[in-house]
Amino acid sequence: MAESSHSSIWERVIELTKEAQEKGIDPLLWAMQLSTYLNSEGVSLPSIDVADMLVSYICWDNNVPIVWKFLDKALLLNIVPPLFLLALLSTRVIPSRRGQPAAYRLFMELLKRNIFNLKSQINGRNYQRQVLTFFFCISCETDWVMQSIDTILQLSHIFGLKTNEAGTILVEFIFSLVWQLLDASLDDEGLLELTSEKKSKWATNPQDMEIDGHDNSDEKQSEHHERMRKFNTSMAVELIGQFLQNKVTSRILNLARQNMSTHWEGFTQRLQLLGAHSSALRNAKAITPEALLKLTSNTHMVSQECKLKSRQNFHDTVVFGALASSTSLCNGASHSASWLPLNLVLEDVVDTSDINSISAIETITGLVKVLRAINCTTWHNTFLSLWIAALRLVQRDRDSMNANRFRIENLLCMLLCITTLVVADIIEEEENAPIDETEYGSNSCWEEKRDPGKCRNDLVSSLQMLGDYKGLLIPPECTVSAANQAAAKAMFYISGIDIGNANLECISLNDVPTNCSGNMRHLIVEACIARNLLDTSAYFWPGYVNGKINEVPDSLPAQMPGWSSLMQGGSLTPVMINALVSSPASSLAELEKIFEIAVKGSDDEKISAAKILCGATLIRGWNIQEHTVHFITRLLSPPVPPEYSGSDSHLIGYARMLNVPQLACSLMLICEVFGSFVPNASWTLTDGEEISAYSVFSNAFILLLKLWKFHYPLLERRVGNIPTVVNELTPDHLLLLRNSHLVSSGNVNKNLNRRRLSEVASSSSPQPYFLESFPKLKDWHRQHQACKASTLSGLVHGTQVHQTVDGLLNMMFRKINRGSQSLTTVTSGSSGSYGLGIKDNSLRPTLPAWDILEAAPFLVDAALTACNHGKLSPRELATGLKDLADFLPASLATIVCYFSAEVTRGIWKPVFMNGTDWPSPAANLSNVEEQIKKILATTGVDIPSLAAGGSSPSTLPLPLAAFVSLTITYKIDRASERLLNLAGPALRILAAECPWPCMPIVASLWMQKAKHWSDFLVFCASRTVFLHSSDAVVQLLKSCFTATLGLNDMPISSSGGVGELLGHGFGSHSIGGISPFAPGILYLRVYRYIRNIAFITEEIVSLLMHSVREIASSGLPREKLEKLRTSKNGLRYRQVSLSAAIARVKHAAALAASLLWLSGGLSLVQSLIKEILPSWFISVHRCEQEEGSEGMVAMLGGYALAYFTVFCLAFAWGVDSTSFASKQRTKILVTHMKFLACALDGKISLGCDWATWHAYVSGFVTLMVGCTPNWVLEIDVDVLKRLSSGLRQWNEEELGLALLGIGGIGTMGAAAELIIENEM
């Protein structure tokens, strides 16, 4: 019955319409009558059924002007929903536009009249909620209307968005209307065939069956239709322009660009086709082809997106205005401070005292991306800043009086190898990225237009500009020759002179008519050319060389032993070997040649080739260092010979090659095999030296520990309530890291560095290794851990281990002459008892190395206990321990471990360093104290006196005294270098952990033996001041802020910056002795050893806010500030002052975040976000401020915290989604965003200043939207909507819209509603 009644209603509507059409009734009167009738029948208006019926009535039996007027009045009186009507008409009119040109024109008129006034459409009577919004309630009818539009146009199917959200459907609808008009225009001008699909995804093709047959034979009518068609095409083109120009619809289309990138790419390609070939567009009066293309460019769309009017001061000043001109790169504080974190990280990475499971390349690459994003800069500026930071790193130590050779080599490796590989990784990632993807998403307002060659071109321009920084390009003394050769090579090339196989090392600059002295840029360029980042066209850059030469110098020999001779077939004679060991290979081909000899040559050739690989090529072959490491790693796991059939490991046959110390790296298999081998055989090297299994094992084992530091003392840090152990990379963890590099997933293949690591890992074996594969190493490590954790136990009388201990004790102390007296059984300080015999037995036991290492802790314990009870003198103790280490050098690791563990237990009495029983430091102690005061002069830290009280001699814990005495017994020569490099770092850490002044005492003792190490030893002693006083650490941190920001009662023009923070690097720089160290260098060498590192988080936040107060006053006296404010230039002063203040606030935040991240990594950052910041905002802060500056301080404080938080999050988890750490970012980020949302909702009461909170939230969101848009995609849609709602309450509609706009499909509808609601 109801269905029958419903049908009668629509029949009556048709009757009313026909009657009005036939009688020519006024359309408005018809509409009023129809509205009255529908209301009387209870029909809810607007009605999609009425719209459907009227469109069906018109198309095409009643396609007359008066019926179209009926439609117009039906829209006016809200009888039909406008958007639904337009959707319905588009499916009927556009495909029939050629046969029904008048209908097409009328449709476009209706479209123009209604689509650009969306706010009035959704706010009309009974239609206020047509578009889904999170600000109001939603009616079921509204959803039904929008879903009906979706069904009619098949939007979900075409765009692939499975959503019922009305706002999202609205964006799709607007996008579809423009696209339908575009395809129709292309089709009408015959351009659709030029598209890749050659057809439209919409029903825009003419339908001949619906062409009106009236008067088709009339020639005049046909001409009229043709004119109308051309007019319609022009009108459609201009309408497309209106969509792109209108403030509301252009922003809605921008939402489509942000969230439907694949479809947007196809759309813009068609627009470009229209702009290039459309005659209608060329003849259009309202828009030109150039204007149309500009409207759809990424630059225009992004600039529209980034006009955050309410945040203009913050965003424009901080994000863009803070970048200084390139002329201040070297010495100014502005630009260099923008890249301060990079300088700190480079300095930190080259410090080999700590081990990181993430490669330096990956760390630096991620940081470079972060700084590029937050600094909103180009790849040109990014690369230039990277080169400058790496050059500064080298220059800081170039003129050091006591520059360490190994450190200089590390610095050059960082500049010429690591940094170059970072650039290579970035360029490959940029060039291989899909065209519709960008590194940080398509929403970033600093994003450059995608150009596959742009990144490489920016590298070229950065290196060209690098030539302007002459002071940074001066080469260290050890690289002068290499730099000159690089410059000479370029000069010969541009002169057209082929030097063939001549040896450039023999060139004398005096023999070359033109100056060809080189600098660091020549070495950088050569490193880039070797890795295919540049080509030889770089040699022709203006100013790269000083001219051309006409002939080859007479001093250049035609042929000499060297790499060129080897490539021509020269044999490995002693002269050739020496030449190849001392000079690095210059190309991968030369490296492959020597590796082939190492694999396939004779036994002697293999040994020589291994030495060559580990010579200058490994140390100074910067252009190919990564390949050298790869080949050396492959040599560590030589293949099993096809004819091998022995029962022992095939590695025994490679003993002579594996004994090369530099080759015995972290390959645990070598240790496992040779440590289990009974040394009943030896091998003779080509120089006559005889080696044993002990030698091979010790070389491998010592370097294993030296690289990964398993033997270091156990050092705990507390982060929050969780103790974390540092310097504790276990063998099984290393194997897991190695195995992870074997995985060849899609993400690995996209990353050049991970591919490189994967190739190195798989070169030894494509199969994963686990610690169970090395049972002997596993047993040793278990005992090693037990020794550190508790006192020794488990030695049972009569067992094999007990027998080994007795035999080794006899060997160690066989020279002790006590007549018939024997050492009585003594109680060990930690492990029961041992009998220390004196039997004179010169025969050394022939035991596997692992058996000796198992017994070693008991040996050391027995010896130390005997010394403690007076059974052994300190000298005898040191001599016996040295004999053990000489017998099996690998045992020194166990000695180190034992002493470290025993010192921390505190059960041994201290001994007097009186010069009689134990060596005395008295000769140098006072000098050490004075030198420490000089080093810390700029920090303001109080230094405890080194005097132990009156004239009493200094004391050390017995294990530490024994340890330092043992190390002093070694000569400082090449033979002892490996052992001292193993024991030295552990001794420094152990002494630092002991009470003050143990480390200064140790430094004083060693200074008597090695005066040339004095500066280094004093520095090590000076940093222990901070390990024993948290107040000293805070003072050091404060000095870092003061130096960086120039806040030490200096005027605003004070430089500060990187130079003040890091100074001139490590070492003495004045003839008068050691000079004060920069606070940044001190902190980077201290933070690893601070036990309770968690406390610095709150201290850094406090220092940051203190710096803000200093910045707000500009460091100027109050009288001068007041004078500037009241002067005629007061307005200009305030603008400049705000800009400068915000720039300095950003630098302070960058420093604070860098120090926090370096100090505690992910743990401290997580603690900051989850605990410290929420607590800070909830707490009440009262501080003394400058009169009249409270508002400025509060605002700057909020901006500082916003930058600080973004920096910390970005440093810890990156700005993109490619790194492993980024996978952990979402949880932390969502937690913080929920806190912000709850506070904005009023669910959390805040104690901080409102201006601080407002500046923080708006600043944080602005930075996230502008610099890290990928983060927004990780946040819950509901949280984003709550944040946007809160921002709207602060009149931050633009910022709220920007947040929703990049939030993905889930927030696109809400963003569209916000645009319409505010007509933005």
Side-chain angles (χ1 to χ4, degrees):
M1 189 71 181
E3 184 177 347
S4 175
S5 174
H6 195 68
S7 300
S8 63
I9 293 175
W10 305 134
E11 290 174 0
R12 180 56 183 158
V13 170
I14 294 296
E15 290 175 3
L16 287 174
T17 305
K18 282 186 177 181
E19 182 179 346
Q21 178 184 348
E22 292 170 356
K23 294 181 178 180
I25 295 177
D26 182 83
L28 181 59
L29 179 59
W30 168 85
M32 293 173 64
Q33 292 174 347
L34 181 60
S35 178
T36 301
Y37 170 72
L38 292 173
N39 285 328
S40 66
E41 293 294 334
V43 177
S44 178
L45 299 180
S47 169
I48 63 173
D49 292 328
V50 175
D52 189 22
M53 185 205 67
L54 290 177
V55 170
S56 298
Y57 181 77
I58 292 177
C59 301
W60 295 106
D61 294 335
N62 296 285
N63 180 25
V64 293
I66 192 171
V67 181
W68 282 91
K69 292 180 181 179
F70 289 167
L71 267 185
D72 185 44
K73 300 308 177 184
L75 288 169
L76 179 65
L77 296 186
N78 201 37
I79 296 173
V80 295
L83 299 184
F84 178 80
L85 180 67
L86 294 172
L88 204 58
L89 286 171
S90 70
T91 64
R92 304 295 296 276
V93 175
I94 294 179
S96 304
R97 66 189 180 280
R98 291 184 183 175
Q100 306 290 348
Y104 186 34
R105 182 181 64 81
L106 291 172
F107 163 72
M108 288 189 287
E109 290 290 350
L110 283 177
L111 182 62
K112 185 187 303 184
R113 191 176 303 175
N114 290 275
I115 204 67
F116 299 119
N117 193 20
L118 289 172
K119 183 175 182 180
S120 64
Q121 302 292 347
I122 68 171
N123 288 333
R125 178 170 55 89
N126 292 332
Y127 201 58
Q128 294 179 356
R129 302 177 182 87
Q130 177 174 318
V131 182
L132 175 63
T133 171
F134 64 93
F135 302 113
F136 304 101
C137 297
I138 308 161
S139 68
C140 295
E141 182 180 355
T142 300
D143 281 342
W144 186 37
V145 169
M146 298 310 297
Q147 289 172 21
S148 299
I149 293 175
D150 183 22
T151 302
I152 291 170
L153 296 175
Q154 299 183 5
L155 298 175
S156 297
H157 173 72
I158 291 174
F159 291 117
L161 303 182
K162 305 301 181 183
T163 178
N164 293 324
E165 190 176 81
T168 302
I169 296 174
L170 176 65
V171 176
E172 294 177 302
F173 175 54
I174 299 295
F175 191 20
S176 71
L177 285 176
V178 184
W179 203 330
Q180 289 181 73
L181 292 173
L182 174 60
D183 280 2
S185 302
L186 290 172
D187 188 32
D188 290 343
E189 296 198 75
L191 301 175
L192 197 59
E193 290 293 321
L194 300 180
T195 64
S196 57
E197 297 88 354
K198 301 187 182 300
K199 63 178 182 179
S200 173
K201 63 175 63 181
W202 312 100
T204 57
N205 294 327
Q207 299 175 1
D208 295 336
M209 65 182 68
E210 294 185 355
I211 293 179
D212 188 1
H214 298 289
D215 297 325
N216 277 344
S217 59
D218 190 327
E219 185 176 346
K220 292 184 178 180
Q221 184 71 14
S222 298
E223 292 176 358
H224 175 67
H225 277 206
E226 187 60 30
R227 287 195 300 272
M228 288 189 67
R229 292 188 191 106
K230 292 182 179 180
F231 175 82
N232 286 346
T233 302
S234 298
M235 184 178 181
V237 169
E238 293 183 358
L239 190 54
I240 293 170
Q242 283 185 267
F243 270 100
L244 295 170
Q245 290 172 318
N246 180 267
K247 182 168 62 174
V248 174
T249 55
S250 66
R251 286 206 159 184
I252 291 177
L253 289 173
N254 192 36
L255 293 176
R257 180 192 72 87
Q258 292 172 317
N259 298 288
M260 304 156 69
S261 57
T262 303
H263 296 287
W264 184 262
E265 181 189 352
F267 172 74
T268 54
Q269 287 175 353
R270 295 181 180 226
L271 268 177
Q272 292 168 0
L273 183 62
L274 185 75
H277 301 286
S278 171
S279 59
L281 180 58
R282 287 195 298 270
N283 297 326
K285 297 179 180 179
I287 191 169
T288 64
E290 295 75 19
L292 181 70
L293 295 177
K294 184 178 179 180
L295 288 172
T296 57
S297 67
N298 278 342
T299 303
H300 172 79
M301 301 296 278
V302 172
S303 66
Q304 291 292 325
E305 172 189 339
C306 291
K307 289 180 179 177
L308 308 181
K309 298 178 182 177
S310 59
R311 295 268 43 86
Q312 188 81 24
N313 288 338
F314 173 71
H315 194 258
D316 289 354
T317 303
V318 177
V319 176
F320 298 104
L323 297 177
S325 65
S326 60
T327 57
S328 64
L329 280 172
C330 273
N331 301 315
S334 53
H335 185 282
S336 64
S338 297
W339 298 90
L340 181 145
L342 180 59
N343 288 266
L344 281 170
V345 169
L346 289 179
E347 186 69 53
D348 186 69
V349 166
V350 296
D351 181 5
T352 58
S353 63
D354 202 4
I355 301 298
N356 199 325
S357 58
I358 300 176
S359 72
I361 296 174
E362 190 168 348
T363 298
I364 297 170
T365 300
L367 181 64
V368 166
K369 292 179 182 179
V370 166
L371 295 178
R372 177 180 178 250
I374 297 180
N375 289 330
C376 298
T377 190
T378 63
W379 280 121
H380 166 85
N381 287 336
T382 301
F383 289 144
L384 183 60
S385 300
L386 176 60
W387 294 123
I388 288 174
L391 283 166
R392 275 179 164 168
L393 180 70
V394 174
Q395 295 302 325
R396 275 194 284 271
D397 279 81
R398 188 192 70 200
D399 297 325
S400 175
M401 290 175 62
N402 293 306
N404 184 285
R405 172 173 60 90
F406 298 110
R407 177 170 169 82
I408 291 294
E409 290 168 356
N410 287 342
L411 299 180
L412 291 170
C413 174
M414 176 61 66
L415 170 65
L416 299 173
C417 181
I418 301 297
T419 302
T420 311
L421 291 174
V422 167
V423 173
D425 286 3
I426 290 172
I427 289 179
E428 184 189 62
E429 183 177 338
E430 284 288 301
E431 293 182 344
N432 293 337
I435 195 66
D436 62 329
E437 292 182 11
T438 57
E439 186 175 341
Y440 306 103
S442 62
N443 308 310
S444 181
C445 62
W446 51 266
E447 174 191 314
E448 298 176 78
K449 183 179 179 181
R450 170 65 59 183
D451 182 351
K454 181 68 167 58
C455 191
R456 192 178 295 264
N457 292 337
D458 281 355
L459 170 64
V460 172
S461 62
S462 72
L463 287 172
Q464 290 174 334
M465 183 174 287
L466 190 63
D468 296 336
Y469 302 96
K470 306 296 185 183
L472 290 177
L473 298 177
I474 300 173
E477 183 178 353
C478 62
T479 62
V480 170
S481 176
N484 291 343
Q485 291 176 46
K489 177 182 177 182
M491 185 175 294
F492 282 124
Y493 184 86
I494 66 171
S495 302
I497 297 177
D498 184 9
I499 59 175
N501 299 314
N503 196 334
L504 289 175
E505 290 185 353
C506 298
I507 290 181
S508 171
L509 295 184
N510 297 328
D511 295 333
V512 181
T514 305
N515 180 15
C516 66
S517 59
N519 56 37
M520 297 306 294
R521 185 170 71 141
H522 293 105
L523 294 177
I524 293 173
V525 167
E526 288 300 319
C528 290
I529 291 175
R531 294 175 175 91
N532 297 318
L533 299 176
L534 301 174
D535 56 33
T536 51
S537 62
Y539 296 159
F540 295 91
W541 292 347
Y544 187 74
V545 293
N546 296 320
K548 299 181 179 181
I549 57 177
N550 299 322
E551 58 184 8
V552 179
D554 295 335
S555 62
L556 188 63
Q559 189 70 44
M560 281 189 65
W563 290 99
S564 298
S565 302
L566 177 70
M567 296 302 290
Q568 290 186 354
S571 59
L572 290 181
T573 63
V575 175
M576 175 76 81
I577 293 171
N578 290 334
L580 299 181
V581 168
S582 60
S583 62
S586 59
S587 68
L588 180 58
E590 294 172 349
L591 201 60
E592 290 172 337
K593 177 70 173 180
I594 201 66
F595 178 74
E596 182 181 8
I597 296 174
V599 173
K600 300 180 180 180
S602 65
D603 288 346
D604 289 344
E605 287 177 333
K606 288 178 180 179
I607 298 172
S608 300
K611 290 181 179 178
I612 292 168
L613 280 173
C614 298
T617 297
L618 176 62
I619 298 171
R620 291 184 283 113
W622 305 298
N623 300 346
I624 51 174
Q625 267 182 324
E626 67 273 24
H627 300 291
T628 306
V629 172
H630 183 192
F631 285 134
I632 290 174
T633 305
R634 291 174 63 182
L635 282 183
L636 291 172
S637 296
V640 179
E643 68 281 1
Y644 184 77
S645 59
S647 59
D648 294 328
S649 171
H650 71 285
L651 292 180
I652 299 298
Y654 290 95
R656 294 197 298 168
M657 183 178 73
L658 295 176
N659 188 60
V660 177
Q662 295 89 336
L663 272 183
C665 298
S666 58
L667 195 60
M668 300 174 187
L669 185 58
I670 298 176
C671 296
E672 190 72 20
V673 171
F674 285 90
S676 305
F677 186 73
V678 178
N680 52 14
S682 61
W683 302 270
T684 302
L685 301 180
T686 53
D687 58 1
E689 179 186 355
E690 190 173 281
I691 63 170
S692 67
Y694 287 164
S695 302
V696 180
F697 172 81
S698 292
N699 282 329
F701 190 72
I702 287 175
L703 282 173
L704 175 68
L705 299 183
K706 181 181 173 183
L707 290 172
W708 299 107
K709 303 175 174 54
F710 302 138
H711 61 294
Y712 269 20
L714 194 63
L715 180 63
E716 287 187 355
R717 294 181 183 172
R718 291 198 168 268
V719 181
N721 295 322
I722 304 173
T724 57
V725 180
V726 297
N727 289 330
E728 193 62 15
L729 280 178
T730 60
D732 45 351
H733 178 63
L734 289 177
L735 290 172
L736 288 176
L737 287 176
R738 182 261 180 192
N739 295 340
S740 69
H741 295 150
L742 296 176
V743 180
S744 298
S745 63
N747 288 335
V748 171
N749 290 331
K750 290 181 181 179
N751 187 290
L752 180 59
N753 181 56
R754 294 179 188 175
R755 281 207 312 271
R756 194 182 299 118
L757 292 173
S758 179
E759 291 172 0
V760 173
S762 59
S763 63
S764 58
S765 172
Q767 302 300 321
Y769 277 123
F770 301 96
L771 195 55
E772 287 70 20
S773 306
F774 312 103
K776 293 294 185 180
L777 178 62
K778 181 179 179 181
D779 291 342
W780 170 84
H781 187 256
R782 184 186 295 115
Q783 183 191 40
H784 170 74
Q785 295 294 90
C787 178
K788 290 193 293 185
S790 62
T791 57
L792 282 176
S793 62
L795 184 63
V796 179
H797 186 78
T799 61
Q800 181 61 47
V801 177
H802 188 273
Q803 294 175 12
T804 302
V805 170
D806 280 343
L808 290 171
L809 284 174
N810 288 329
M811 177 199 75
M812 293 166 60
F813 302 107
R814 66 185 180 276
K815 296 179 182 179
I816 300 175
N817 185 8
R818 299 183 185 273
S820 60
Q821 181 184 4
S822 64
L823 293 179
T824 60
T825 300
V826 294
T827 301
S828 168
S830 62
S831 61
S833 63
Y834 306 99
L836 196 59
I838 60 169
K839 182 180 178 181
D840 186 9
N841 185 0
S842 60
L843 296 177
R844 294 189 172 189
T846 55
L847 299 169
W850 288 120
D851 290 358
I852 298 175
L853 289 187
E854 184 182 9
F858 303 105
L859 294 171
V860 183
D861 188 69
L864 193 64
T865 302
C867 182
N868 188 42
H869 288 78
K871 302 299 182 180
L872 284 177
S873 69
R875 181 181 296 275
E876 290 168 341
L877 173 64
T879 302
L881 293 176
K882 186 175 184 299
D883 283 346
L884 175 62
D886 289 343
F887 175 55
L888 180 65
S891 63
L892 183 61
T894 301
I895 297 173
V896 170
C897 173
Y898 174 84
F899 282 143
S900 301
E902 292 305 309
V903 165
T904 58
R905 279 191 258 281
I907 61 177
W908 300 90
K909 64 182 181 181
V911 296
F912 291 99
M913 312 302 289
N914 52 20
T916 303
D917 299 316
W918 300 93
S920 171
N924 293 314
L925 204 54
S926 59
N927 181 49
V928 168
E929 183 173 8
E930 291 302 316
Q931 297 284 44
I932 291 176
K933 290 179 179 179
K934 284 186 179 181
I935 289 177
L936 305 184
T938 60
T939 65
V941 173
D942 293 329
I943 303 167
S945 174
L946 298 185
S951 58
S952 301
S954 303
T955 63
L956 290 178
L958 175 59
L960 179 58
F963 191 10
V964 69
S965 297
L966 171 63
T967 59
I968 291 176
T969 62
Y970 284 95
K971 295 180 180 180
I972 303 176
D973 55 20
R974 189 78 175 178
S976 302
E977 185 177 51
R978 287 183 294 119
L979 297 176
L980 290 177
N981 286 338
L982 178 71
L987 174 63
R988 295 195 301 271
I989 294 174
L990 181 58
E993 284 293 295
C994 292
W996 180 268
C998 286
M999 184 60 214
I1001 292 173
V1002 171
S1004 299
L1005 291 171
W1006 257 99
M1007 285 172 64
Q1008 298 174 24
K1009 185 177 184 67
K1011 295 186 183 300
H1012 61 287
W1013 289 356
S1014 296
D1015 288 355
F1016 175 74
L1017 292 167
V1018 171
F1019 175 76
C1020 292
S1022 68
R1023 68 184 180 186
T1024 59
V1025 173
F1026 304 98
L1027 307 187
H1028 298 287
S1029 170
S1030 58
D1031 291 338
V1033 175
V1034 174
Q1035 181 61 40
L1036 179 57
L1037 286 169
K1038 185 176 181 180
S1039 299
C1040 291
F1041 280 89
T1042 300
T1044 303
L1045 302 173
L1047 297 176
N1048 193 16
D1049 296 326
M1050 299 175 182
I1052 195 170
S1053 60
S1054 175
S1055 60
V1058 175
E1060 296 294 328
L1061 178 66
L1062 298 178
H1064 300 289
F1066 187 87
S1068 172
H1069 293 266
S1070 61
I1071 298 177
I1074 201 165
S1075 58
F1077 274 62
I1081 293 292
L1082 278 171
Y1083 187 78
L1084 290 177
R1085 299 300 179 266
V1086 165
Y1087 76 84
R1088 291 177 174 86
Y1089 310 109
I1090 300 174
R1091 283 187 174 273
N1092 185 23
I1093 196 68
F1095 87 96
I1096 74 163
T1097 305
E1098 292 189 37
E1099 296 295 342
I1100 287 177
V1101 172
S1102 177
L1103 288 170
L1104 174 61
M1105 301 312 290
H1106 174 77
S1107 299
V1108 168
R1109 292 192 291 274
E1110 293 291 323
I1111 290 170
S1113 65
S1114 302
L1116 297 175
R1118 183 181 301 182
E1119 298 77 12
K1120 189 170 183 178
L1121 281 171
E1122 190 61 31
K1123 183 178 180 181
L1124 285 169
R1125 291 192 186 100
T1126 56
S1127 67
K1128 63 181 180 180
N1129 295 322
L1131 177 61
R1132 181 180 178 186
Y1133 162 76
R1134 285 191 293 273
Q1135 292 172 341
V1136 174
S1137 176
L1138 177 62
S1139 174
I1142 291 180
R1144 297 178 79 193
V1145 160
K1146 174 188 174 184
H1147 301 155
L1151 172 63
S1154 301
L1155 295 175
L1156 184 74
W1157 177 50
L1158 288 172
S1159 300
L1162 302 181
S1163 298
L1164 282 192
V1165 175
Q1166 181 173 328
S1167 173
L1168 171 74
I1169 302 301
K1170 296 178 68 175
E1171 301 170 14
I1172 305 301
L1173 281 179
S1175 176
W1176 193 94
F1177 285 119
I1178 292 172
S1179 303
V1180 177
H1181 305 277
R1182 291 185 175 90
C1183 57
E1184 296 180 4
Q1185 301 173 346
E1186 281 281 340
E1187 182 179 354
S1189 66
E1190 291 87 348
M1192 171 72 83
V1193 171
M1195 180 189 68
L1196 290 178
Y1199 290 156
L1201 289 174
Y1203 257 120
F1204 176 56
T1205 306
V1206 171
F1207 270 123
C1208 285
L1209 285 167
F1211 290 162
W1213 293 290
V1215 293
D1216 56 20
S1217 302
T1218 59
S1219 67
F1220 175 77
S1222 66
K1223 307 300 185 293
Q1224 309 168 34
R1225 178 178 57 217
T1226 301
K1227 184 177 180 180
I1228 303 299
L1229 184 61
V1230 168
T1231 298
H1232 189 59
M1233 299 301 283
K1234 285 183 177 179
F1235 169 76
L1236 300 185
C1238 288
L1240 289 174
D1241 292 342
K1243 298 177 181 178
I1244 298 177
S1245 298
L1246 301 175
C1248 67
D1249 191 291
W1250 183 88
T1252 300
W1253 174 247
H1254 180 261
Y1256 176 76
V1257 174
S1258 56
F1260 180 80
V1261 174
T1262 299
L1263 288 170
M1264 191 164 60
V1265 168
C1267 303
T1268 61
N1270 280 345
W1271 292 4
V1272 181
L1273 297 174
E1274 301 171 4
I1275 303 170
D1276 296 339
V1277 170
D1278 177 66
V1279 174
L1280 291 177
K1281 290 179 179 180
R1282 290 164 60 194
L1283 283 171
S1284 181
S1285 177
L1287 290 169
R1288 288 181 74 247
Q1289 295 175 20
W1290 288 350
N1291 296 320
E1292 299 276 10
E1293 288 87 359
E1294 288 280 358
L1295 186 55
L1297 171 61
L1299 181 65
L1300 294 175
I1302 63 173
I1305 299 300
T1307 59
M1308 185 169 66
E1313 202 289 329
L1314 185 58
I1315 291 171
I1316 295 170
E1317 179 70 20
N1318 295 278
E1319 294 187 336
M1320 299 169 73

